Amino acid sequence: MSDKSPVGLDLEQQLDNVLAFITQPDTGGEPQKSTQSVEKTLNKALYYLKNEQAPLAAKWMRLAAMAGNHRAQFYMGLFFIKGQGVPHSVFHGSVWLSLASSQGYEPATAALNDLRKHISTRRLQDAQSYAATLYEQIHQQQFSHLIPHNPDAN
């Protein structure tokens, strides 16, 4: 069944535009600069962690984690589990570890497996659901500039 309404065509055109942009060859421009910026943020967080300034480490680590860095997401999980620079929360630690693990970061997967004995199956499922929501928020934030906006559409 095909939607031939103007709204349906508009959505189809938007999806075509996004697909065309995503499949363009990488020119090595802006994304690389963004990756370097995230790495600098992560390094700043690690510097504060090394110097036992947990609140500052958590602040910078969260910025890198929200930028999509799986290593920073792993550290955020550990920060919450230990209550290091953030409130102690096994639930929130599980969220961040689940997010990093879902992206194939093996240390997060191992930590999550170790954590299973300290959290109920239901709470872990809730954490994984919350991690999925967080993943969507991060990617909406990162890629919102790719979606064409039509100011005339309501």
Side-chain angles (χ1 to χ4, degrees):
M1 193 188 261
S2 175
D3 183 6
K4 297 293 183 187
S5 69
V7 174
L9 292 176
D10 184 43
L11 179 59
E12 186 176 325
Q13 182 60 49
Q14 288 181 8
L15 291 173
D16 285 343
N17 290 346
V18 170
L19 183 59
F21 184 84
I22 291 172
T23 57
Q24 286 179 350
D26 185 15
T27 59
E30 189 62 31
Q32 189 176 37
K33 182 178 177 187
S34 177
T35 301
Q36 290 172 352
S37 176
V38 173
E39 280 299 314
K40 286 181 182 179
T41 303
L42 177 61
N43 288 338
K44 187 176 282 195
L46 293 172
Y47 169 81
Y48 286 123
L49 181 60
K50 181 180 176 184
N51 288 290
E52 298 179 14
Q53 296 179 16
L56 287 172
K59 171 188 169 183
W60 290 103
M61 197 64 73
R62 184 179 185 282
L63 289 172
M66 289 300 293
N69 184 286
H70 57 271
R71 187 171 165 213
Q73 293 165 353
F74 167 72
Y75 277 110
M76 282 305 301
L78 297 182
F79 285 178
F80 274 105
I81 290 166
K82 295 176 181 180
Q84 194 173 19
V86 295
H88 177 265
S89 173
V90 173
F91 174 79
H92 285 91
S94 299
V95 169
W96 286 107
L97 290 174
S98 293
L99 189 55
S101 176
S102 72
Q103 297 172 75
Y105 192 61
E106 289 300 321
T109 303
L112 199 54
N113 286 334
D114 289 342
L115 189 62
R116 288 183 191 271
K117 58 188 163 207
H118 301 287
I119 189 170
S120 71
T121 301
R122 178 69 186 149
R123 286 299 279 167
L124 182 59
Q125 289 171 341
D126 290 344
Q128 290 170 331
S129 178
Y130 186 59
T133 301
L134 188 56
Y135 177 87
E136 290 297 325
Q137 290 173 353
I138 289 169
H139 283 79
Q140 176 69 29
Q141 175 183 309
Q142 285 181 332
F143 300 112
S144 65
H145 67 284
L146 300 178
I147 301 172
H149 298 283
N150 184 356
D152 298 330
N154 288 343

